[in-house]
Each structure stands twice: as structure tokens, then as C-alpha cells.
Amino acid sequence: MKIAFLTSGGNAPCLNSSIGRLLSNFGKIDQDVCAIGYLNGFAGLLKGNSVSLDIEMTSQNFSPFYTTGGSFIGNSRVKLTNVLDCLDKNLVKEGQVPLEIAANQLIADKIDILFTIGGDDTNTTARDLRNYIQSKNIKITVVGIPKTIDNDIYPVKRSLGAHTAAGEGAKFFKNIVSENYMGERHLIIHEVMGRNSGWLTAYTANEYYNNLDKQKSITPDSVDSRRYDLHGIYVPERIININSEINRLAKMIDKIGCLNLFVCEGAFLDEISEEHKSNGNSIETDAFGHAKLDSINVAKWFSLSISKEIDFDRVLIQKSGYYSRSAAPNSDDLEYIFKVCDFAFKCALKSKSGLAGEDERTGELSCIDFDLIKGDKGLDTSSKWFLDLIDRIEC
């Protein structure tokens, strides 16, 4: 039996650990198993670039996989049905069909099982590859692992690595928040990753508050502990009247002397897009048609917008995204990763293709049909934990 792995999209705390757990499981079965990893996701598959993982297969110590963030085999953002993008990236030649090239590479490498570890874009691309393979009667099993710190894959209840990313973002802001003593009217904007879902922003804020009472308990009575609070949170799912919000924030800073705001990088996208259009510009998109959020800088846009009406003597913009998404998984996430990967291993042995994850419709681990996978599952702003969070922030 020969298995292959590829990791795709952005980094997340579950990539190496998912590979390690699956390798560990295959190492225990009574069969000859060899494994490879395609370098840089679907780009490596198209180019035939891979590395052997057989050394790790024979090792009983998988600690480096579980304690190191990112992916040892690398990622990329490649859509196999976007022929022009594949051409631009020199992954195929004129006239070649990327799906055919990818399928033929799997055949040439004699792969029996391919694991695709990534988010909705990765696993909808895995769907396209699986469908092509099936149409050609090729017997290769494709099993997806749900990875995204945005936690926005439908119908997956919980994406691997998302909880760790939120905890790391909260840890990041715990240090940053003390910067607001550097000025009398100080603004800190913490920009958190998230394309069309504010889940990570909100859950990071929730994790921050879970540990805030401890910090407040050691704060001297002479210090206004409200300087450690959050004073605003902005996610794509909530409609905010900016003028009304500026009025609220103006009153808040007059009382406290600082503002600590959490902004999702996908918030205010409509407003920013309109500004670009009025200036004769457009927002760049990636191979999947998503806005390139790095080029937008929503935190800077928001800080400039409110600075027109509120005087600040210092503005600090901080982004925790690359810090939090490259962390090793925490103990809770690692346990969940093991649970999902153990299930994915069983699906693979049964030659069942699909995305292995906890189906939010049933609450059970399932091999979800790739055709059902969609992205941009929004944050549930009616959930109790989120409403409690808003009450605490905006009281």
C-alpha cells in the first residue's frame, strides 16, 4: 500500500500533527506501507515534487509532528480547475489539463490513498480531483482532513487547529494590551484573520476574556482595570453603523483613556470595495476568486476612519494571524486531531473517499461527501457565547 499527503492553503496548528497521527496509525497495521508527501500542496502534485516519509513511518517517536506548527511538506494555493492560474504559476504547459496531470502523477507514483489536509478550497479541489479520478475508473481513495483557523467549512462542526489559533491570538493580545499605557488617548486595533467568517476574531476575544479576570485580580486598585477590557469587536456577520459606533467609542475613550478593538480582516469589505471603486481601483483576487485581504489592511482603514472623528495621541495596529496559525496544537486540539485522524484512517482502509470530520448536522464523525463541502460558513451571531461576549464588550 502506498499513501500520499498534501497540505494546502494557509498554515494551521494541525498540519504536521495530522500527518504524524496518520503515519502512526499506518505504521501499526500488518501491511507493507510506504508514504510520500507532495511538496507545497497541489503545486507539488502537478510538478511531481515529493519527499519520502518512510523514515518517519518506522519511527516510534512522532513528537516533532505534534510539537511543531506549520507543515514540513509546505503549502500553496492552487485550484486544479483554474487552468490560467496554473499556467501563470508554471505548473502546467499550454494545452495541458491540470486535473489530468494530477491524476496521472498519482498513477505514476502508484498511490492508493491520498490525504488532502486543508480548508474548503483544498477540499473542493480534492472533490474535483476525486470526481475526475472516478470518471476514469481509477482506483485511488481521496480523504480530506478539515483544516482552517477560520472554522468556516460547511458542514464541519469544528475545524482542526482553530481552537489553538484562537488561544494563541488571545495570548498575543494579553501582551499587547499593556501598550495602552504608552499614551493618554491610546488606540490599539488587533486585526485577526478571517475571510468571510468572524469566528476566529470572536473566539479569540472570548478566550482573552476567559483569562482576563486572573489578570484583573492582580491589578492595583489605583489602576483602572477597564483599560484591559475590549471596547469593540467587528466581524463580517454584524452590520455596524460606523457613525453611531464612532459616537460610542468617543464616549468610551473619554471615560477610560484608551480603546482596545478587535477587527476581523474580512470586516467592512463592502465599504472598502466601494472606496476602491470610487477611486477607479479594484481589489486583487486569488486563484479561487477570493479578495486578497493582505492588500486591503482593514485595521489601517478602520483606524483612519475613526481618527477623523476621535483624537488619539497614539495608534497601534497589531496582527496576530501568522503568529497564531503557525503554533503547535494545544492539548485539547491535539486530542481532537487524533480523534478525527483516527476516523480518517478507518475511512481510508475502507476505500471511502470524502472529508473526515464531525458533521454539525448530526454531531457525529462522518465521511462527508466532497460534493457537500462549502466555505465561508458564517459565525453564528445568535449563539449564547457570542451574545454574552458582545454584552461584556459593549456594556
Side-chain angles (χ1 to χ4, degrees), residues 26-103:
F26 277 102
K28 295 172 184 175
I29 65 175
D30 189 22
Q31 288 188 46
D32 288 331
V33 181
C34 59
I36 64 170
Y38 288 109
L39 298 176
N40 303 112
F42 288 105
L45 177 57
L46 288 172
K47 296 167 75 174
N49 290 342
S50 63
V51 292
S52 171
L53 297 175
D54 287 345
I55 295 174
E56 288 78 8
M57 286 278 289
T58 60
S59 172
Q60 295 303 308
N61 181 16
F62 288 92
S63 178
F65 286 92
Y66 305 145
T67 57
T68 306
S71 169
F72 293 138
I73 57 177
N75 305 346
S76 66
R77 296 186 187 276
V78 173
K79 185 176 177 66
L80 294 179
T81 55
N82 190 333
V83 180
L84 288 178
D85 185 65
C86 290
L87 281 168
D88 288 342
K89 291 174 178 174
N90 296 315
L91 299 176
V92 296
K93 296 177 182 178
E94 191 72 43
Q96 290 183 326
V97 178
L99 282 171
E100 182 180 7
I101 298 297

Coordinates of all heavy atoms in Angstrom, one line a residue, residues 26-103:
F26 N -0.9 4.1 10.3 CA -0.5 3.2 9.2 C 0.7 2.3 9.6 O 0.9 1.2 9.1 CB -0.2 3.9 7.9 CG -1.4 4.3 7.1 CD1 -1.9 5.6 7.2 CD2 -2.0 3.3 6.4 CE1 -3.1 5.9 6.5 CE2 -3.2 3.6 5.6 CZ -3.7 4.9 5.7
G27 N 1.6 2.8 10.5 CA 2.7 2.1 10.9 C 2.4 0.9 11.8 O 3.2 0.0 12.0
K28 N 1.1 0.9 12.3 CA 0.7 -0.2 13.2 C 0.0 -1.4 12.5 O -0.3 -2.4 13.1 CB -0.2 0.4 14.3 CG 0.5 1.4 15.2 CD -0.5 2.0 16.1 CE 0.1 3.1 17.0 NZ -0.8 3.8 17.8
I29 N -0.4 -1.2 11.2 CA -1.1 -2.2 10.6 C -0.2 -3.3 10.0 O 1.0 -3.0 9.7 CB -2.0 -1.7 9.4 CG1 -1.2 -1.1 8.3 CG2 -3.0 -0.7 10.0 CD1 -2.1 -0.6 7.1
D30 N -0.7 -4.5 9.8 CA 0.1 -5.6 9.4 C 0.1 -5.6 7.8 O -0.3 -6.6 7.2 CB -0.5 -6.9 9.9 CG 0.4 -8.1 9.7 OD1 1.6 -7.9 9.5 OD2 -0.2 -9.2 9.6
Q31 N 0.7 -4.6 7.3 CA 0.9 -4.5 5.8 C 2.1 -3.7 5.5 O 2.6 -2.9 6.4 CB -0.3 -3.8 5.2 CG -1.6 -4.5 5.1 CD -2.7 -3.8 4.3 OE1 -2.4 -3.3 3.2 NE2 -3.9 -3.8 4.8
D32 N 2.7 -3.9 4.4 CA 3.8 -3.0 3.9 C 3.2 -1.7 3.4 O 2.4 -1.7 2.5 CB 4.6 -3.7 2.8 CG 5.4 -4.9 3.3 OD1 5.8 -4.9 4.5 OD2 5.6 -5.8 2.5
V33 N 3.6 -0.6 4.1 CA 3.1 0.7 3.7 C 4.2 1.6 3.5 O 5.2 1.7 4.3 CB 2.2 1.3 4.9 CG1 1.6 2.6 4.5 CG2 1.0 0.3 5.2
C34 N 4.2 2.3 2.4 CA 5.2 3.4 2.2 C 4.4 4.7 2.0 O 3.2 4.7 1.6 CB 6.1 3.1 1.1 SG 5.3 2.9 -0.5
A35 N 5.0 5.8 2.3 CA 4.4 7.1 2.2 C 5.2 8.2 1.6 O 6.5 8.2 1.8 CB 3.9 7.5 3.6
I36 N 4.6 9.1 0.9 CA 5.3 10.3 0.4 C 4.5 11.5 0.7 O 3.3 11.5 1.0 CB 5.5 10.2 -1.1 CG1 4.2 10.2 -1.9 CG2 6.3 9.0 -1.5 CD1 4.3 10.4 -3.4
G37 N 5.1 12.7 0.7 CA 4.4 14.0 0.8 C 4.7 14.8 -0.4 O 5.9 15.0 -0.7
Y38 N 3.6 15.3 -1.0 CA 3.8 16.2 -2.1 C 4.2 17.6 -1.6 O 3.5 18.1 -0.7 CB 2.6 16.3 -3.0 CG 2.4 15.0 -3.8 CD1 1.3 14.1 -3.5 CD2 3.2 14.7 -4.9 CE1 1.2 12.9 -4.2 CE2 3.0 13.5 -5.6 CZ 2.0 12.6 -5.3 OH 1.8 11.5 -6.0
L39 N 5.3 18.2 -2.1 CA 5.8 19.4 -1.6 C 4.9 20.6 -2.1 O 4.5 20.7 -3.3 CB 7.2 19.7 -2.1 CG 8.2 18.6 -1.6 CD1 9.6 18.9 -2.2 CD2 8.3 18.6 0.0
N40 N 4.5 21.4 -1.2 CA 3.7 22.6 -1.5 C 2.4 22.3 -2.1 O 2.0 22.9 -3.1 CB 4.5 23.6 -2.3 CG 5.8 24.1 -1.6 OD1 6.9 23.7 -2.1 ND2 5.7 24.8 -0.5
G41 N 1.7 21.3 -1.5 CA 0.3 21.1 -1.9 C 0.1 20.6 -3.3 O 0.9 19.8 -3.8
F42 N -1.0 21.1 -3.9 CA -1.3 20.6 -5.3 C -0.2 21.1 -6.3 O -0.1 20.5 -7.4 CB -2.7 21.2 -5.7 CG -3.8 20.5 -5.0 CD1 -4.5 21.1 -4.0 CD2 -4.2 19.2 -5.3 CE1 -5.6 20.5 -3.3 CE2 -5.3 18.6 -4.7 CZ -5.9 19.2 -3.7
A43 N 0.5 22.1 -6.0 CA 1.6 22.5 -6.8 C 2.6 21.4 -7.0 O 3.1 21.1 -8.1 CB 2.3 23.8 -6.3
G44 N 3.0 20.8 -5.8 CA 3.9 19.6 -5.9 C 3.4 18.4 -6.6 O 4.1 17.7 -7.3
L45 N 2.0 18.2 -6.5 CA 1.4 17.1 -7.2 C 1.5 17.3 -8.7 O 1.9 16.4 -9.4 CB 0.0 17.0 -6.8 CG -0.9 15.9 -7.5 CD1 -0.2 14.5 -7.4 CD2 -2.3 15.9 -6.9
L46 N 1.3 18.5 -9.1 CA 1.3 18.8 -10.6 C 2.8 18.7 -11.1 O 3.0 18.3 -12.2 CB 0.8 20.3 -10.8 CG -0.7 20.4 -10.7 CD1 -1.1 21.9 -10.8 CD2 -1.5 19.6 -11.8
K47 N 3.7 19.1 -10.3 CA 5.1 19.1 -10.7 C 5.8 17.8 -10.4 O 7.0 17.5 -10.9 CB 5.9 20.2 -10.1 CG 5.4 21.6 -10.5 CD 5.9 22.7 -9.6 CE 7.3 23.0 -9.9 NZ 7.8 24.2 -9.1
G48 N 5.1 16.9 -9.7 CA 5.8 15.6 -9.4 C 6.9 15.7 -8.3 O 7.8 14.9 -8.2
N49 N 6.8 16.8 -7.5 CA 7.8 17.0 -6.4 C 7.3 16.4 -5.1 O 6.2 16.8 -4.6 CB 8.0 18.5 -6.2 CG 8.8 19.1 -7.4 OD1 9.4 18.4 -8.2 ND2 8.7 20.4 -7.5
S50 N 8.0 15.4 -4.6 CA 7.6 14.8 -3.4 C 8.8 14.4 -2.6 O 9.9 14.3 -3.1 CB 6.7 13.6 -3.7 OG 7.4 12.6 -4.4
V51 N 8.5 14.1 -1.3 CA 9.6 13.5 -0.4 C 9.1 12.3 0.2 O 7.9 12.1 0.4 CB 10.0 14.5 0.6 CG1 10.7 15.7 0.0 CG2 8.8 15.0 1.5
S52 N 10.0 11.4 0.5 CA 9.6 10.1 1.2 C 9.4 10.4 2.7 O 10.1 11.2 3.3 CB 10.8 9.1 1.0 OG 10.5 8.0 1.9
L53 N 8.3 9.8 3.2 CA 8.0 9.9 4.6 C 8.2 8.5 5.3 O 7.8 8.3 6.4 CB 6.6 10.3 4.8 CG 6.3 11.7 4.3 CD1 4.8 12.1 4.4 CD2 7.1 12.8 5.0
D54 N 8.9 7.6 4.6 CA 9.1 6.3 5.1 C 10.0 6.2 6.4 O 9.8 5.4 7.3 CB 9.8 5.4 4.1 CG 8.8 5.0 3.0 OD1 7.6 5.2 3.2 OD2 9.2 4.5 1.9
I55 N 10.9 7.2 6.5 CA 11.7 7.2 7.7 C 10.9 7.5 9.0 O 11.0 6.8 10.0 CB 12.8 8.3 7.6 CG1 13.8 8.0 6.5 CG2 13.6 8.5 8.9 CD1 14.8 9.1 6.2
E56 N 9.9 8.4 8.8 CA 9.0 8.7 9.9 C 8.1 7.5 10.2 O 7.7 7.3 11.3 CB 8.2 10.0 9.6 CG 9.0 11.3 9.7 CD 9.9 11.5 8.5 OE1 9.7 10.8 7.5 OE2 10.7 12.5 8.5
M57 N 7.8 6.8 9.1 CA 6.9 5.6 9.3 C 7.5 4.6 10.2 O 6.7 3.9 10.9 CB 6.6 5.0 7.9 CG 5.7 5.8 7.0 SD 4.0 5.5 7.4 CE 3.8 3.9 6.8
T58 N 8.8 4.4 10.2 CA 9.4 3.4 11.0 C 9.7 3.9 12.4 O 10.2 3.1 13.2 CB 10.6 2.8 10.3 OG1 11.6 3.9 10.1 CG2 10.3 2.3 8.9
S59 N 9.6 5.1 12.6 CA 10.0 5.7 13.9 C 8.8 5.6 14.9 O 7.6 5.8 14.5 CB 10.4 7.2 13.8 OG 10.5 7.8 15.1
Q60 N 9.1 5.3 16.2 CA 8.1 5.3 17.2 C 7.9 6.7 17.8 O 7.0 6.9 18.6 CB 8.4 4.3 18.3 CG 8.5 2.9 17.7 CD 7.2 2.4 17.1 OE1 6.1 2.5 17.7 NE2 7.2 1.9 15.9
N61 N 8.7 7.6 17.5 CA 8.7 8.9 18.1 C 8.1 10.0 17.1 O 8.8 10.4 16.2 CB 10.1 9.4 18.6 CG 10.1 10.7 19.3 OD1 9.0 11.2 19.7 ND2 11.2 11.3 19.4
F62 N 6.9 10.3 17.3 CA 6.3 11.3 16.4 C 6.2 12.7 17.0 O 5.4 13.5 16.6 CB 4.9 10.8 16.0 CG 4.9 9.6 15.0 CD1 4.9 8.4 15.5 CD2 5.0 9.8 13.7 CE1 4.9 7.3 14.6 CE2 5.1 8.8 12.8 CZ 5.0 7.5 13.3
S63 N 6.9 12.9 18.1 CA 6.8 14.1 18.9 C 7.1 15.4 18.0 O 6.3 16.4 18.2 CB 7.9 14.1 20.0 OG 7.8 15.4 20.7
P64 N 8.0 15.4 17.1 CA 8.2 16.6 16.2 C 7.0 17.0 15.4 O 6.7 18.2 15.2 CB 9.4 16.2 15.3 CG 10.1 15.1 16.0 CD 9.1 14.4 16.8
F65 N 6.2 16.0 15.0 CA 5.0 16.3 14.3 C 3.9 17.0 15.2 O 3.2 17.8 14.7 CB 4.3 15.0 13.7 CG 5.1 14.4 12.6 CD1 6.1 13.5 12.7 CD2 4.7 14.9 11.3 CE1 6.7 13.0 11.6 CE2 5.4 14.4 10.2 CZ 6.4 13.4 10.3
Y66 N 3.9 16.6 16.5 CA 2.9 17.1 17.4 C 3.3 18.4 18.1 O 2.4 19.0 18.7 CB 2.6 16.0 18.4 CG 2.2 14.7 17.9 CD1 2.5 13.5 18.5 CD2 1.5 14.6 16.7 CE1 2.2 12.2 18.0 CE2 1.1 13.3 16.1 CZ 1.5 12.2 16.8 OH 1.1 11.0 16.3
T67 N 4.5 18.7 18.0 CA 5.0 19.9 18.8 C 5.5 21.0 17.9 O 6.1 22.0 18.3 CB 6.1 19.5 19.8 OG1 7.2 18.9 19.1 CG2 5.6 18.5 20.8
T68 N 5.3 20.8 16.6 CA 5.8 21.9 15.6 C 4.6 22.3 14.8 O 3.9 21.5 14.2 CB 6.9 21.3 14.7 OG1 7.9 20.7 15.5 CG2 7.5 22.4 13.8
G69 N 4.5 23.6 14.7 CA 3.4 24.2 13.9 C 3.8 24.2 12.4 O 4.9 23.9 12.0
G70 N 2.8 24.6 11.6 CA 3.1 24.6 10.1 C 3.1 23.3 9.5 O 2.6 22.3 10.1
S71 N 3.7 23.2 8.3 CA 3.7 21.9 7.6 C 5.1 21.6 7.1 O 5.7 22.5 6.4 CB 2.8 22.0 6.4 OG 3.0 20.9 5.5
F72 N 5.7 20.5 7.4 CA 7.0 20.1 7.0 C 7.1 20.0 5.4 O 8.1 20.2 4.8 CB 7.4 18.8 7.6 CG 7.7 18.8 9.0 CD1 7.2 17.8 9.8 CD2 8.3 19.8 9.7 CE1 7.4 17.8 11.2 CE2 8.5 19.9 11.0 CZ 8.1 18.8 11.8
I73 N 5.9 19.7 4.8 CA 6.0 19.5 3.4 C 5.5 20.7 2.6 O 5.5 20.7 1.4 CB 5.1 18.2 3.0 CG1 3.7 18.3 3.5 CG2 5.8 17.0 3.5 CD1 2.8 17.1 3.0
G74 N 5.1 21.8 3.3 CA 4.7 23.0 2.6 C 3.4 23.1 2.0 O 2.7 22.1 1.7
N75 N 2.9 24.3 1.8 CA 1.6 24.6 1.3 C 1.6 25.5 0.0 O 2.7 26.0 -0.3 CB 0.7 25.4 2.3 CG 0.7 24.7 3.7 OD1 1.0 23.6 3.8 ND2 0.2 25.5 4.7
S76 N 0.5 25.6 -0.6 CA 0.3 26.5 -1.7 C -1.2 26.7 -1.9 O -2.0 26.0 -1.3 CB 1.0 26.0 -3.0 OG 0.3 24.9 -3.5
R77 N -1.6 27.7 -2.7 CA -3.0 27.9 -3.1 C -3.1 27.7 -4.6 O -2.8 28.5 -5.4 CB -3.4 29.3 -2.7 CG -3.4 29.6 -1.2 CD -4.0 31.0 -0.8 NE -3.8 31.3 0.6 CZ -4.6 30.9 1.6 NH1 -5.6 30.1 1.3 NH2 -4.3 31.2 2.8
V78 N -3.6 26.5 -4.9 CA -3.7 26.1 -6.3 C -5.1 25.4 -6.5 O -5.5 24.5 -5.8 CB -2.6 25.1 -6.7 CG1 -2.8 24.5 -8.1 CG2 -1.2 25.7 -6.6
K79 N -5.8 25.9 -7.5 CA -7.1 25.4 -7.9 C -6.9 24.6 -9.2 O -6.6 25.2 -10.3 CB -8.1 26.5 -8.0 CG -9.5 26.0 -8.3 CD -10.5 27.2 -8.3 CE -11.9 26.8 -8.7 NZ -12.5 26.0 -7.6
L80 N -7.1 23.3 -9.2 CA -6.8 22.5 -10.4 C -7.7 22.8 -11.6 O -7.4 22.5 -12.7 CB -6.9 21.0 -10.0 CG -5.9 20.5 -9.0 CD1 -6.1 19.0 -8.7 CD2 -4.5 20.7 -9.5
T81 N -8.9 23.4 -11.3 CA -9.8 23.7 -12.4 C -9.5 25.2 -13.0 O -10.1 25.6 -13.9 CB -11.2 23.6 -12.0 OG1 -11.5 24.4 -10.8 CG2 -11.6 22.2 -11.7
N82 N -8.6 25.9 -12.3 CA -8.3 27.2 -12.8 C -7.0 27.1 -13.7 O -5.9 27.3 -13.2 CB -8.0 28.2 -11.6 CG -7.8 29.6 -12.1 OD1 -7.4 29.9 -13.2 ND2 -8.1 30.5 -11.2
V83 N -7.3 26.8 -14.9 CA -6.2 26.5 -15.9 C -5.2 27.7 -16.1 O -4.0 27.5 -16.1 CB -6.7 26.0 -17.2 CG1 -5.6 25.7 -18.2 CG2 -7.6 24.8 -17.1
L84 N -5.8 28.8 -16.2 CA -5.0 30.0 -16.4 C -4.0 30.3 -15.3 O -2.9 30.7 -15.5 CB -5.9 31.3 -16.7 CG -6.6 31.3 -18.0 CD1 -7.5 32.5 -18.1 CD2 -5.6 31.3 -19.2
D85 N -4.5 30.1 -14.0 CA -3.7 30.3 -12.9 C -2.6 29.3 -12.8 O -1.4 29.6 -12.5 CB -4.5 30.3 -11.6 CG -3.7 30.6 -10.4 OD1 -3.3 31.8 -10.2 OD2 -3.6 29.7 -9.5
C86 N -2.9 28.1 -13.2 CA -1.9 27.0 -13.2 C -0.8 27.3 -14.3 O 0.4 27.1 -14.1 CB -2.5 25.7 -13.4 SG -3.5 25.0 -12.1
L87 N -1.2 27.9 -15.4 CA -0.3 28.3 -16.4 C 0.6 29.5 -15.9 O 1.8 29.5 -16.1 CB -1.0 28.7 -17.7 CG -1.6 27.6 -18.6 CD1 -2.5 28.2 -19.6 CD2 -0.4 26.9 -19.3
D88 N 0.0 30.4 -15.3 CA 0.7 31.6 -14.8 C 1.8 31.2 -13.8 O 2.8 31.8 -13.7 CB -0.2 32.6 -14.2 CG -1.1 33.3 -15.2 OD1 -0.7 33.3 -16.4 OD2 -2.1 33.9 -14.8
K89 N 1.5 30.1 -13.0 CA 2.4 29.7 -12.0 C 3.4 28.6 -12.5 O 4.1 28.0 -11.8 CB 1.6 29.1 -10.8 CG 0.8 30.2 -10.0 CD -0.1 29.5 -9.0 CE -0.8 30.6 -8.2 NZ -1.8 30.1 -7.2
N90 N 3.3 28.4 -13.8 CA 4.2 27.5 -14.5 C 4.1 26.0 -13.9 O 5.1 25.3 -13.8 CB 5.7 27.9 -14.4 CG 6.0 29.2 -15.1 OD1 5.5 29.4 -16.3 ND2 6.7 30.1 -14.5
L91 N 2.9 25.7 -13.6 CA 2.6 24.3 -13.0 C 2.2 23.4 -14.2 O 2.3 22.2 -14.0 CB 1.5 24.4 -12.0 CG 1.9 25.3 -10.7 CD1 0.7 25.3 -9.8 CD2 3.1 24.7 -10.0
V92 N 1.7 23.9 -15.3 CA 1.4 23.1 -16.4 C 1.8 23.9 -17.7 O 2.1 25.1 -17.6 CB -0.2 22.8 -16.5 CG1 -0.6 22.0 -15.3 CG2 -1.0 24.1 -16.6
K93 N 1.8 23.2 -18.8 CA 2.1 23.8 -20.1 C 0.8 24.0 -20.9 O -0.2 23.5 -20.6 CB 3.1 22.9 -20.9 CG 4.4 22.6 -20.2 CD 5.3 21.6 -21.0 CE 6.6 21.4 -20.3 NZ 7.4 20.4 -21.0
E94 N 1.0 24.9 -21.9 CA -0.2 25.2 -22.7 C -0.8 24.0 -23.3 O -0.1 23.1 -23.8 CB 0.3 26.1 -23.9 CG -0.8 26.8 -24.7 CD -1.5 27.9 -23.9 OE1 -0.9 28.7 -23.2 OE2 -2.8 27.9 -24.0
G95 N -2.1 23.9 -23.2 CA -2.8 22.7 -23.7 C -3.0 21.6 -22.7 O -3.8 20.7 -23.0
Q96 N -2.3 21.6 -21.6 CA -2.4 20.6 -20.6 C -3.6 20.8 -19.7 O -4.0 22.0 -19.4 CB -1.2 20.4 -19.8 CG 0.0 19.9 -20.5 CD 1.2 19.7 -19.6 OE1 1.5 20.5 -18.7 NE2 2.0 18.7 -19.9
V97 N -4.2 19.8 -19.2 CA -5.4 19.9 -18.2 C -4.8 19.5 -16.8 O -4.4 18.4 -16.6 CB -6.5 18.9 -18.7 CG1 -7.6 19.0 -17.6 CG2 -7.0 19.2 -20.1
P98 N -4.8 20.5 -15.9 CA -4.3 20.2 -14.6 C -4.8 19.0 -13.9 O -4.1 18.2 -13.3 CB -4.6 21.5 -13.8 CG -4.7 22.6 -14.9 CD -5.3 21.9 -16.1
L99 N -6.2 18.8 -14.0 CA -6.7 17.6 -13.3 C -6.1 16.3 -13.9 O -5.9 15.3 -13.2 CB -8.3 17.6 -13.5 CG -9.1 18.5 -12.6 CD1 -10.5 18.5 -13.0 CD2 -9.0 18.0 -11.1
E100 N -5.9 16.3 -15.2 CA -5.4 15.1 -15.8 C -3.9 14.9 -15.4 O -3.5 13.8 -15.1 CB -5.4 15.2 -17.4 CG -4.9 14.0 -18.1 CD -5.0 14.2 -19.6 OE1 -5.4 15.3 -20.1 OE2 -4.7 13.2 -20.3
I101 N -3.2 16.0 -15.4 CA -1.8 15.9 -14.9 C -1.7 15.4 -13.5 O -0.8 14.5 -13.2 CB -1.1 17.3 -15.0 CG1 -1.1 17.8 -16.5 CG2 0.3 17.3 -14.5 CD1 -0.3 17.0 -17.4
A102 N -2.6 15.9 -12.6 CA -2.5 15.5 -11.2 C -2.9 14.0 -11.1 O -2.2 13.2 -10.4 CB -3.5 16.3 -10.4
A103 N -3.9 13.6 -11.8 CA -4.3 12.2 -11.7 C -3.2 11.3 -12.3 O -2.9 10.2 -11.7 CB -5.6 12.0 -12.5

